[in-house]
């Protein structure tokens, strides 16, 4: 039974390269240095998110229901997936709009003060609904609105 190709070194976390390819049908072997490609570098969790995105035809509300996570979490994970695939960061105006939408969603969820909002972010992190990077970004954006 074949195993999935891993793309990062288990020792130093550097990117691995494939050095040999073999055809089971005709026995042809290619040797050289091959990349696993952008999809091969995704984590299992990112691949599952991508599959959900495709199944839902890009409908984030459907993904929210399928994955049993909040809409802002779906959005942040999809955005992280887009960056992981190498499509780069979004424009600053888009990020500002996302920050405003997240702040509005937080306010609508009943978190009246920044301390409660920070606690909410930390609880989402503890439940693994968001990554540490996403939590740090959310807390930073809360700090900007406190001023």
């Amino acid at each position: 039974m074949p195993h999935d190709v891993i793309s990062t070194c288990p020792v130093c976390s550097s990117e691995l390269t494939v050095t040999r390819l073999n055809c089971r049908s005709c026995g042809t072997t290619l040797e050289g240095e091959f990349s696993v490609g952008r999809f091969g570098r995704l984590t299992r969790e990112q691949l599952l998110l991508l599959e959900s995105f495709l199944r839902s035809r890009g409908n984030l509300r459907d993904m929210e229901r399928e994955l049993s996570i909040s809409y802002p979490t779906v959005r942040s994970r999809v955005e992280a997936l887009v960056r992981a695939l190498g499509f780069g960061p979004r424009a600053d105006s888009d990020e500002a709009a996302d920050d405003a939408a997240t702040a509005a969603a937080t306010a609508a969820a009943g978190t009246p003060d920044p301390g409660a909002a920070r606690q909410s972010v930390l609880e989402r992190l503890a439940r693994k609904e968001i990554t540490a990077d996403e939590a740090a970004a959310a807390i930073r954006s809360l700090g900007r609105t406190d001023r």
Side-chain angles (χ1 to χ4, degrees):
M1 170 198 277
H3 298 282
D4 289 340
V5 173
I6 61 172
S7 61
T8 54
C9 176
V11 176
C12 71
S13 299
S14 294
E15 185 175 344
L16 294 173
T17 58
V18 178
T19 58
R20 186 174 178 167
L21 298 170
N22 183 23
C23 176
R24 289 184 186 168
S25 179
C26 70
T28 298
T29 299
L30 301 172
E31 291 194 24
E33 193 167 304
F34 308 97
S35 170
V36 294
R38 68 175 56 178
F39 294 104
R41 290 189 294 268
L42 296 178
T43 66
R44 187 170 303 279
E45 181 179 288
Q46 290 170 325
L47 285 170
L48 292 173
L49 183 71
L50 180 58
E51 289 173 5
S52 175
F53 183 85
L54 295 172
R55 262 193 308 278
S56 69
R57 308 296 194 271
N59 185 314
L60 301 186
R61 290 285 179 202
D62 288 348
M63 291 176 66
E64 175 187 17
R65 285 187 287 278
E66 177 183 336
L67 300 171
S68 300
I69 56 178
S70 71
Y71 183 83
T73 300
V74 171
R75 283 186 50 160
S76 66
R77 288 185 184 176
V78 168
E79 185 61 33
L81 176 62
V82 167
R83 286 191 308 274
L85 288 170
F87 296 117
R90 293 172 53 180
D92 288 342
S93 61
D94 290 343
E95 290 175 9
D98 283 350
D99 287 346
T102 300
T106 300
T111 49
D113 66 289
R118 281 185 187 88
Q119 183 63 36
S120 173
V121 169
L122 294 173
E123 288 170 358
R124 290 175 57 210
L125 176 63
R127 290 190 302 267
K128 297 184 181 187
E129 292 178 1
I130 58 175
T131 67
D133 289 340
E134 293 165 345
I139 290 173
R140 277 194 300 274
S141 71
L142 291 172
R144 286 195 303 260
T145 59
D146 291 346
R147 295 180 193 155

